[in-house]
Amino acid sequence: DVKVTQSSRYLVKRTGEKVFLECVQDMDHENMFWYRQDPGLGLRLIYFSYDVKMKEKGDIPEGYSVSREKKERFSLILESASTNQTSMYLCASSFPGIYEQYFGPGTRLTVT
Amino acid sequence: ILNVEQSPQSLHVQEGDSTNFTCSFPSSNFYALHWYRWETAKSPEALFVMTLNGDEKKKGRISATLNTKEGYSYLYIKGSQPEDSATYLCAFIVSSGGGADGLTFGKGTHLIIQP
């Protein structure tokens, strides 16, 4: 079974803190993705990566950066957390092309 | 940003009834369409990956059709059961040549099956 894990299920941070969200997958997938899910807005793509050290902006990259130093790990970084980044963050991975994505359990981040 | 529309937003269905809902997407540069089921407190799970116009896929009581020329897909659930209660998401991939684009998701149809 494909497994995608995220470092925390719940996280509370203060405004201005630097926040790291970690995602690890064990299926040797080339592609990895970060989404955020907000009520009424659905899942929105923040960044994705199709190879180690490669990254592409998604629809809402502002305020975020990413890092992919190893194939199995994709990190989302909030350089200076703000309250409007309070959300559910979901990581996913897949093989390239049309293939389905496998999602992690999500991290509910609250920025106070 | 691509626009993927799902309707209805929410749906209450009696147990045993059949139901269907719609995903509309841009018909140009179509690459693939995914359907996911997202149950409360769980992760989204893929139901179908659809690529060809006229595709019909089936998994148990759930099936889906695809019309890429007019830009829509239908998801059907036959004989709804309480365990079918979930949010159903469709997601669209545009061909970029690289085949590595992220999905653009619709906002989902929230299905509640009433006993």
Side-chain angles (χ1 to χ4, degrees):
Chain A
D1 272 355
V2 175
K3 197 166 182 182
V4 181
T5 57
Q6 295 183 228
S7 48
S8 307
R9 292 299 299 269
Y10 300 94
L11 207 52
V12 180
K13 295 291 182 180
R14 293 195 182 278
T15 302
E17 278 193 84
K18 190 168 186 175
V19 182
F20 293 87
L21 303 182
E22 304 282 339
C23 175
V24 177
Q25 51 94 4
D26 65 359
M27 277 301 290
D28 205 33
H29 286 162
E30 284 83 358
N31 292 354
M32 295 189 75
F33 307 86
W34 275 106
Y35 297 91
R36 63 178 283 177
Q37 193 259 341
D38 300 289
L41 296 177
L43 277 173
R44 293 180 292 166
L45 181 66
I46 304 171
Y47 268 97
F48 65 96
S49 167
Y50 52 89
D51 200 353
V52 175
K53 296 192 186 295
M54 306 302 287
K55 61 185 179 185
E56 292 283 344
K57 293 180 180 179
D59 298 323
I60 50 164
E62 296 78 19
Y64 303 95
S65 62
V66 289
S67 171
R68 192 161 180 207
E69 297 296 318
K70 293 185 178 181
K71 190 175 186 179
E72 67 270 19
R73 188 179 296 269
F74 192 35
S75 302
L76 181 70
I77 303 156
L78 288 66
E79 293 289 341
S80 177
S82 63
T83 54
N84 63 12
Q85 292 178 310
T86 292
S87 187
M88 168 72 86
Y89 290 87
L90 283 156
C91 174
S93 69
S94 75
F95 290 116
I98 65 166
Y99 298 98
E100 68 267 38
Q101 295 189 2
Y102 293 84
F103 285 83
T107 295
R108 186 165 292 282
L109 173 67
T110 303
V111 183
T112 62
Chain B
I1 295 180
L2 300 169
N3 200 27
V4 179
E5 299 282 344
Q6 290 189 247
S7 62
Q9 280 189 332
S10 65
L11 195 52
H12 288 70
V13 174
Q14 286 295 125
E15 183 177 352
D17 287 353
S18 296
T19 188
N20 65 85
F21 27 93
T22 308
C23 172
S24 302
F25 52 86
S27 55
S28 58
N29 297 319
F30 177 85
Y31 193 54
L33 186 96
H34 295 183
W35 280 101
Y36 292 83
R37 176 169 57 202
W38 193 359
E39 297 177 67
T40 303
K42 294 186 178 180
S43 309
E45 289 186 346
L47 287 172
F48 303 115
V49 174
M50 310 185 79
T51 57
L52 298 175
N53 185 44
D55 251 357
E56 290 189 29
K57 302 256 176 153
K58 188 174 180 184
K59 185 183 287 190
R61 294 178 293 98
I62 304 176
S63 60
T65 61
L66 178 68
N67 184 323
T68 61
K69 295 189 188 307
E70 296 182 38
Y72 64 84
S73 176
Y74 294 136
L75 190 81
Y76 301 89
I77 302 178
K78 186 177 177 182
S80 303
Q81 299 297 310
E83 60 265 27
D84 296 329
S85 295
T87 297
Y88 291 83
L89 299 169
C90 73
F92 175 69
I93 307 176
V94 170
S95 172
S96 67
D101 283 357
L103 295 171
T104 297
F105 281 86
K107 294 178 183 178
T109 292
H110 185 51
L111 177 66
I112 298 169
I113 307 301
Q114 296 169 321

